[in-house]
Amino acid sequence: MKTQLVNGSLWNDINGESIHAHGGHMLYHDGYYYWYGEDRRDDNYVSCYRSKDLFQWEFRDHILTTSTPTASIRVRTKLELVNDEGGKVNLERPKVLFNPVTKKFVLWVHYENGKNYNDAACAVATSDYPDRQFVYHGSFNPYGYMSRDCTLFQDDDGTAYFISAARDNADLHIYRLQEDYLNVECLVSKLWQGEYREAPAVFKRNEKYYMLTSFCTGWDPNQGKYAIADSMESSWSMLYDFGDETTYRTQPAFVLNRSAQEYLYFSDRWNGSDYFQSSYVVLPIEFNGAVPVLNDYAALTLDSETDSIVFAK
């Protein structure tokens, strides 16, 4: 049984195959953690893995590919999953929530046309299952705004939010979603204009809301920042440093709230010269009062007796 993961190394699933889940997101459902992320191989876009313990990952399916079924919804969208030259588009930073009203699994993702980054759109897909049979509902620009690096956040009452970089990444927008999570309901906030934040990740602790972001430096790591708010729709604080000057050579993907006291920072360690050598880093978010603190650890080990995760320098 695999009980240790080494940060910054290539991770394999239980069949010994490399895990392709970059820029991803994790959903806990019916006893499993489902890990969704970018899969740029062949005709794939997004793959899904599942695990009971965060260490042994089972590949489930390529849930978005160039041949995924498409279906229109009430939102006017572009349904193409290949571009006008027959090539792949880009689907980046996939995030998935379970909608308690419709009982659907709803995926939001950053969409580009595969030739340039001029579309700057979001896209939506749904399924009755967490790990298969997704239907793609197309891409659009929320209220006409650009939408690039993105994330989803679901509050305790089921209200969901879509957060994405806008205006050529100069600003971050927060949108509240409609009840079925298939469209934005309203633009809640425009944050940190001109500060060029991307790779947002949101979590809640002790009735405070936290957002982690990175600066825009392409594949190169940079100083992570965090901000705090009293609610998703209230004013957010200024940005404060999180981790070291390169965030330990990582970029945020998402934060997993594993228990009341356990917040795990899942991130990518990108390799700009060889994307497929990019790796994953998981670090604990520790707290000094309300201030989140990120320290560097080389590996994480599962204590099977206590079901706790132990981090080693």
Side-chain angles (χ1 to χ4, degrees):
M1 179 181 295
K2 188 169 187 177
T3 58
Q4 185 181 67
L5 294 173
V6 176
N7 280 327
S9 66
L10 300 182
W11 295 354
N12 294 332
D13 63 21
I14 58 176
N15 292 322
E17 301 293 331
S18 294
I19 293 174
H20 293 266
H22 288 293
H25 190 238
M26 208 169 282
L27 175 69
Y28 186 73
H29 184 78
D30 286 349
Y32 285 97
Y33 295 96
Y34 289 90
W35 188 5
Y36 307 90
E38 298 171 16
D39 188 339
R40 300 192 181 193
R41 298 170 298 167
D42 305 322
D43 292 332
N44 306 320
Y45 289 128
V46 179
S47 286
C48 176
Y49 301 80
R50 74 176 184 180
S51 172
K52 285 184 174 291
D53 60 10
L54 300 179
F55 286 78
Q56 298 184 90
W57 291 99
E58 173 194 6
F59 171 73
R60 298 297 293 168
D61 202 1
H62 306 296
I63 62 169
L64 287 182
T65 72
T66 57
S67 58
T68 292
T70 63
S72 299
I73 53 174
R74 64 183 181 278
V75 185
R76 181 175 293 182
T77 66
K78 297 178 181 178
L79 286 173
E80 294 79 14
L81 277 166
V82 295
N83 59 38
D84 55 10
E85 297 177 357
K88 290 179 69 177
V89 300
N90 285 355
L91 297 182
E92 301 176 354
R93 294 191 172 270
K95 316 295 176 181
V96 179
L97 296 178
F98 176 69
N99 186 292
V101 176
T102 65
K103 309 301 181 186
K104 294 277 190 180
F105 295 86
V106 184
L107 180 150
W108 285 64
V109 66
H110 169 204
Y111 172 94
E112 298 289 356
N113 60 34
K115 298 182 293 182
N116 54 51
Y117 271 68
N118 294 339
D119 282 40
C122 58
V124 180
T126 62
S127 177
D128 293 325
Y129 309 96
D131 54 3
R132 63 191 186 279
Q133 297 182 21
F134 274 77
V135 176
Y136 182 71
H137 301 302
S139 62
F140 63 98
N141 294 92
Y143 293 116
Y145 287 109
M146 301 175 83
S147 179
R148 288 186 175 146
D149 271 18
C150 62
T151 195
L152 290 173
F153 174 76
Q154 186 179 52
D155 214 339
D156 299 333
D157 63 358
T159 303
Y161 297 87
F162 177 68
I163 301 97
S164 69
R167 201 165 63 91
D168 279 321
N169 297 342
D171 315 327
L172 270 179
H173 287 184
I174 299 179
Y175 303 90
R176 187 194 316 132
L177 297 185
Q178 292 183 345
E179 185 180 55
D180 61 5
Y181 301 174
L182 295 184
N183 196 8
V184 296
E185 182 173 276
C186 65
L187 174 57
V188 170
S189 297
K190 298 179 181 180
L191 300 177
W192 310 304
Q193 83 83 31
E195 298 195 39
Y196 287 87
R197 309 308 300 174
E198 64 180 8
V202 179
F203 66 97
K204 183 179 181 180
R205 176 182 180 267
N206 293 346
E207 301 306 314
K208 295 287 186 181
Y209 296 76
Y210 294 80
M211 191 183 306
L212 311 179
T213 59
S214 76
F215 188 52
C216 295
T217 53
W219 296 107
D220 297 327
N222 55 67
Q223 175 69 67
K225 303 275 188 179
Y226 76 90
I228 306 177
D230 290 326
S231 78
M232 287 297 294
E233 303 193 25
S234 66
S235 296
W236 285 77
S237 72
M238 292 179 59
L239 294 163
Y240 301 99
D241 289 354
F242 180 71
D244 72 356
E245 65 273 8
T246 65
T247 325
Y248 307 116
R249 294 185 295 129
T250 71
Q251 186 180 48
F254 62 94
V255 174
L256 178 66
N257 182 191
R258 188 166 179 260
S259 70
Q261 302 301 322
E262 195 170 22
Y263 294 81
L264 302 178
Y265 167 82
F266 276 76
S267 61
D268 295 288
R269 181 168 289 167
W270 299 112
N271 185 326
S273 60
D274 185 351
Y275 172 88
F276 293 106
Q277 293 301 307
S278 299
S279 57
Y280 308 101
V281 174
V282 179
L283 300 172
I285 300 178
E286 300 161 301
F287 289 87
N288 180 7
V291 175
V293 177
L294 195 69
N295 292 304
D296 196 16
Y297 293 91
L300 52 156
T301 303
L302 179 66
D303 185 330
S304 58
E305 292 185 2
T306 63
D307 193 37
S308 60
I309 295 176
V310 179
F311 289 84
K313 290 285 190 179

